[in-house]
Amino acid sequence: MNEKVATELKGSVRGDVILPDDGRYDEARKVYNAMIDKRPAVVVRCTGVADVIAAVKAARAAGLAVAIRGGGHSVPGFGTADDALVTDLGRMRGIRVDPATKTVRAEGGATWGDFNHATHAFGLATTGGIISTTGIAGLTLGGGIGYLTRGAGLSLDNLISADVVTADGSFVTANAKENQDLFWALRGGGGNFGVVTSFQYKLQPVKNIVGGPMFFEKEDAEKVMRTFDEYISRAPRELGAFFAWQIAPPLPFIPEDRHGDTLCVLVACWTGPPSEAEEALAPLRGAADLVAAHVGPMPYPALNGAFDGLV
Ligand SMILES: Cc1cc2nc3c(=O)[nH]c(=O)nc-3n(C[C@H](O)[C@H](O)[C@H](O)COP(=O)(O)OP(=O)(O)OC[C@H]3O[C@@H](n4cnc5c(N)ncnc54)[C@H](O)[C@@H]3O)c2cc1C
């Protein structure tokens, strides 16, 4: 980026403009996947819509590609690029819940942890990821699968409206009535159609759930997967669950002599009446002999953050 554009950009945003000679550059160019080692021309840590507009316009003026970073969890590292201007939305995490309409407006840099914390206070939630540090933006724009999918659909099914800064620096709203083509494209089109500065979602009544992980021997994986596959297609919609391989972490509910062993795990989330949880979870629990389990009532955000330290 030439000096003139960089100086103008610094003068027009409230957030940080970080160039390669800045001491903060190496930290600013990092994304979640540590194998990604891109060197953008500049990283703009935006503080609001005005900064996003200024950043996109500066990229146009400088002839730079724009990379958009929400939560930074893109595995191939699409939140950054060599020689690009990165619009980093990590400081735009404001969330406003409207309990009367059961909707929420969340800024484009929020994570599911931010989101669930805010909506949980009202006993509400929507489909989000299974890890709380993932960004709502990339996950929603790519579809969004999580514990609540079977009952509430994908994250993008719950999207009502999005505020977007498009490639020419214009600010538009896309929903079922305005800019319908853009709204259609956003729902599955990833970060290719503009910078989404905020998302509006509908919410479902979800507060405390019954759930958690059930660990089985890896030798029982086939049995566990077959049971899961057969049951999940007919289980009540209030049940969300997934299968995974997991190296047993050093947690108190796992026998100490099994720490570090490769096991398989079913993680379940029951959002229906607590009195029906045992029956709903029984087929999963009985898939094979349990090595360990930690299933019980807990706030929904607690399950959402339970595995953050493992990934
Ligand atoms: C640990 C981990 C757990 C995961 N769990 C789940 C899960 O449970 N369910 C699931 O469905 N997926 C899951 N994913 C996949 C995840 O949804 C995608 O990687 C998603 O793209 C990450 O979004 P992000 O905002 O965190 O990432 P980023 O790297 O910031 O962005 C991902 C993509 O979205 C674009 N983008 C980001 N913010 C915006 C914005 N505001 N406006 C426009 N475009 C934007 C970026 O340019 C990039 O192309 C997981 C990924 C990881 C690493």
Side-chain angles (χ1 to χ4, degrees), residues 25-89:
Y25 179 73
D26 280 334
E27 187 57 37
R29 70 188 180 91
K30 270 189 200 156
V31 288
Y32 175 81
N33 181 353
M35 291 171 72
I36 306 294
D37 185 23
K38 304 282 184 192
R39 302 192 68 84
V42 55
V43 177
V44 184
R45 288 178 169 157
C46 300
T47 60
V49 176
D51 283 5
V52 175
I53 292 171
V56 170
K57 286 187 171 168
R60 281 177 78 85
L64 298 177
V66 172
I68 314 163
R69 180 176 326 151
H73 266 202
S74 164
V75 177
F78 291 158
T80 184
D82 283 330
D83 305 320
L85 180 149
V86 173
T87 51
D88 181 347
L89 275 71

Side-chain angles (χ1 to χ4, degrees), residues 118-131:
T119 61
H120 184 70
F122 299 93
L124 298 167
T126 197
T127 303
I130 56 164
I131 301 292

